[in-house]
Amino acid sequence: MTADPECIFCRIVAGEIPADVVHESATTLAFRDLMPQAPTHVLVIPRSHYPNAAALATGEPATAAHLFDAAREIAADEGLENGYRLVFNTGADAHQTVFHVHMHLLGGRSMDWPPG
Ligand code: 5GP
Ligand code: ZN
């Protein structure tokens, strides 16, 4: 497992920074976003440090799939029968601010398309 001591999400994985954890597996962790953009806003991350989704898919393809398994279970737990959105912001244009890959799971309200 890879970790970056400067990375805020690695520090959450290590238990050094508290988080409202909603789901855990051997390879993934999911916790509520500090600044929720929807009634349900959960970040699903690999325990290992990868900067973006493509790097995770190359380095740990099984873990990439585990993110989607976790999202399905969290959506069911949160009662998101009407739907939800999964987002990987990747790079500056997409407004990625934390460079430890994370899946945003957003739900609990009707959403617009296209996103801003
Ligand atoms: P990005 O803009 O990189 O796609 O998303 C980063 C997300 O991480 C943002 O939605 C932001 O609110 C969230 N975030 C940043 N720092 C923390 C933190 O320390 N704890 C939690 N729970 N969320 C955080
Ligand atoms: Zn990290």
Side-chain angles (χ1 to χ4, degrees):
M1 195 164 87
T2 49
D4 174 353
E6 304 292 312
C7 169
I8 193 158
F9 287 178
C10 283
R11 297 186 67 197
I12 287 175
V13 169
E16 295 169 10
I17 294 176
D20 186 356
V21 172
V22 297
H23 190 274
E24 288 191 73
S25 77
T27 55
T28 68
L29 185 70
F31 49 90
R32 295 193 192 280
D33 196 291
L34 213 51
M35 295 180 61
Q37 304 300 318
T40 292
H41 187 174
V42 170
L43 302 174
V44 190
I45 71 170
R47 291 184 183 272
S48 296
H49 181 92
Y50 292 94
N52 56 46
L56 173 65
T58 301
E60 283 185 42
T63 302
H66 295 159
L67 294 185
F68 292 93
D69 292 336
R72 184 194 66 241
E73 291 180 26
I74 296 161
D77 291 347
E78 296 278 317
L80 303 179
E81 294 87 3
N82 286 338
Y84 54 91
R85 188 171 287 176
L86 303 178
V87 176
F88 290 91
N89 293 328
T90 305
D93 274 3
H95 204 270
Q96 184 177 6
T97 59
V98 177
F99 290 85
H100 180 132
V101 58
H102 47 282
M103 172 195 279
H104 293 262
L105 190 170
L106 297 144
R109 65 169 170 81
S110 177
M111 291 176 209
D112 296 329
W113 191 263

